[in-house]
Amino acid sequence: MGSGVSILGVYQSDFARNWAKEKLELADAMREVVEGTLADANIGPEMIDSMHVGNAFGQLYTGQGHMGALAASVIPELWGVPAMRHEAACASASMAVLGAMAEIECGRYDCVLVIGIEQEKTMPGNQAARVQEAAAWVGHDTGETDYIWPHTFNEIAGEYERRYGLDTQYLRGIGALNLTNAQDNPNAQTRLWKLSEESFSANDDVNPIVCGRLRRNDICQITDGAAGLVLVSDRWIKSNRQAKARITGWGHTTVGLGLAQKLNRNERSEFVMPHVRTAITDAFARAGINSVDDLDAIETHDCMSASEYMAIDHFGITAPGESWKAIENGDIARNGRIPVNPGGGLIGGGHPVGATGARMLVDATKQVSGCAGNYQIAGARRVATLNIGGSTTTTASFIVESAQ
């Protein structure tokens, strides 16, 4: 590797907003996130050498493709700066980060802007959910259900039930924790929701079944949102100033699109999705850490409560199949052994698909720099992320550490 990679500045839009209702376009959101990220980094656009944009469904929700060019369309100083778009479903922004890191590590550029952006509230909710079938194996996994992703993660929960047993109260416990955590996050989509014990119960009126084991509050929302980071090289830091955080490790795996492919191939593994475990342990190895106990917090993919249930044992918080113990014991609560999604994750915070990987890194940076406000984990110095696209088809994990 040529250079290390540090995070100079970050920004997240308010995920509770509906851009179409505000008469805003994607370009308006792009302007906001670029300006906000640069302001937090305390640099002007003329300092940016390159740009990477994560976006999953631009054409399908808005008709807008060629998203890499959108920043230059609204920020004149970025005219001529090389840019590219990355698409990997829910892991799109993580792929944008990996692309930016590679440019810095090889010495090509020293100051790179990464944006994750998605506008989803352009059509009725049922239709908006169907758009995301494009991230599955079309014609193989699609066509038999109206809600592909609740169905997919219900099947993954079913695999846990088949192998290890699964009490759905623990899935509801994940939803309860993340929605409650989101109440303290000023950018969270659900922060103003009125919650009660019934919100996380098996009450079919308050928390109705969506698919199989998954109820409404096991599932993330359709979200508009954007998040940004400025990444810089060691050379840039030596010539300028210290950054907020440092990316010390990363892991990235890609497997086939089909859910059945994965479950059949992995049926003899102790982990339900061993390639997800590999992405995590690769990140650990590159960061020089031994286990999850070397972390202070985790930002993980909880598009459904079942995906966080999977993340718990794949991170090693428990043995395989024993994720329920970490929920029951309070290990993943903010004051627990290893806090998970202290700002609400995707269920509580929102899931603008192409922005989620960047948002995770924004929150990780806030934690290790002591800027997470009411959801700050005291003394946090090292945070991991886990971002998955599709039915764990594309997986990325990063380790973010304090730069101080």
Side-chain angles (χ1 to χ4, degrees), residues 288-334:
I289 64 178
N290 296 317
S291 74
V292 71
D293 292 311
D294 294 321
L295 301 173
D296 297 307
I298 291 170
E299 288 289 335
T300 197
H301 206 95
D302 60 311
C303 56
M304 315 284 160
S305 57
S307 59
E308 182 168 331
Y309 194 88
M310 177 192 70
I312 289 169
D313 67 356
H314 284 52
F315 264 105
I317 298 173
T318 70
E322 297 182 357
S323 298
W324 62 272
K325 291 182 178 179
I327 303 161
E328 183 169 85
N329 297 338
D331 288 343
I332 62 172
R334 275 196 207 141

Side-chain angles (χ1 to χ4, degrees), residues 25-346:
E25 300 178 356
L26 266 174
D28 299 303
M30 179 64 81
R31 180 185 293 106
E32 176 191 334
V33 70
V34 170
E35 291 178 346
T37 305
L38 295 179
D40 190 66
N42 195 27
I43 61 172
E46 70 281 354
M47 297 288 288
I48 298 300
D49 298 326
S50 174
M51 295 180 289
H52 292 258
V53 178
N55 175 264
F57 302 119
Q59 293 97 318
L60 299 177
Y61 280 124
T62 69
Q64 180 64 63
H66 210 164
M67 208 71 70
L70 198 57
S73 303
V74 294
I75 306 292
E77 296 88 345
L78 295 175
W79 197 275
V81 175
M84 62 184 79
R85 173 198 176 180
H86 302 257
E87 186 279 308
C90 309
S92 296
S94 289
M95 299 303 100
V97 170
L98 288 172
M101 289 176 63
E103 290 188 324
I104 290 172
E105 289 163 348
C106 75
R108 179 178 294 177
Y109 299 121
D110 291 310
C111 185
V112 183
L113 176 64
V114 178
I115 301 295
I117 188 167
E118 202 78 65
Q119 182 177 12
E120 300 177 2
K121 295 181 177 180
T122 59
M123 55 187 68
N126 290 353
Q127 185 180 353
R130 290 191 185 98
V131 163
Q132 297 182 15
E133 290 184 355
W137 197 2
V138 176
H140 296 259
D141 286 348
T142 62
E144 295 184 4
T145 177
D146 289 336
Y147 299 105
I148 182 63
W149 297 115
H151 170 77
T152 295
F153 286 94
N154 178 62
E155 291 295 301
I156 291 173
E159 184 68 8
Y160 269 96
E161 184 173 47
R162 184 185 70 80
R163 293 189 188 192
Y164 301 111
L166 174 63
D167 188 327
T168 56
Q169 69 169 309
Y170 297 112
L171 298 180
R172 295 197 297 273
I174 288 171
L177 181 61
N178 291 347
L179 284 164
T180 301
N181 283 348
Q183 303 278 294
D184 294 325
N185 183 345
N187 287 319
Q189 186 172 11
T190 69
R191 63 184 183 270
L192 299 180
W193 283 19
K194 303 301 182 184
L195 304 173
S196 68
E197 288 187 9
E198 288 294 290
S199 303
F200 316 112
S201 71
N203 184 317
D204 290 336
D205 294 322
V206 178
N207 193 25
I209 292 172
V210 175
C211 183
R213 302 160 188 82
L214 302 184
R215 294 177 177 268
R216 184 181 68 181
N217 290 335
D218 288 297
I219 297 170
C220 66
Q221 305 297 304
I222 296 294
T223 315
D224 292 347
L229 309 99
V230 173
L231 304 182
V232 293
S233 67
D234 292 343
R235 180 169 55 188
W236 193 98
I237 290 172
K238 288 177 182 177
S239 300
N240 294 276
R241 65 181 185 280
Q242 185 59 272
K244 294 177 180 289
R246 190 168 178 83
I247 299 176
T248 58
W250 58 271
H252 173 205
T253 57
T254 305
V255 297
L257 285 163
L259 176 62
Q261 288 181 304
K262 300 177 184 72
L263 296 180
N264 292 338
R265 187 183 182 97
N266 302 337
E267 62 183 353
R268 296 186 179 180
S269 169
E270 62 179 343
F271 293 100
V272 170
M273 298 292 181
H275 55 279
V276 174
R277 173 66 177 170
T278 297
I280 293 168
T281 55
D282 282 353
F284 284 0
R286 289 185 172 108
I289 64 178
N290 296 317
S291 74
V292 71
D293 292 311
D294 294 321
L295 301 173
D296 297 307
I298 291 170
E299 288 289 335
T300 197
H301 206 95
D302 60 311
C303 56
M304 315 284 160
S305 57
S307 59
E308 182 168 331
Y309 194 88
M310 177 192 70
I312 289 169
D313 67 356
H314 284 52
F315 264 105
I317 298 173
T318 70
E322 297 182 357
S323 298
W324 62 272
K325 291 182 178 179
I327 303 161
E328 183 169 85
N329 297 338
D331 288 343
I332 62 172
R334 275 196 207 141
N335 61 351
R337 167 188 158 210
I338 177 65
V340 175
N341 292 338
L346 284 64

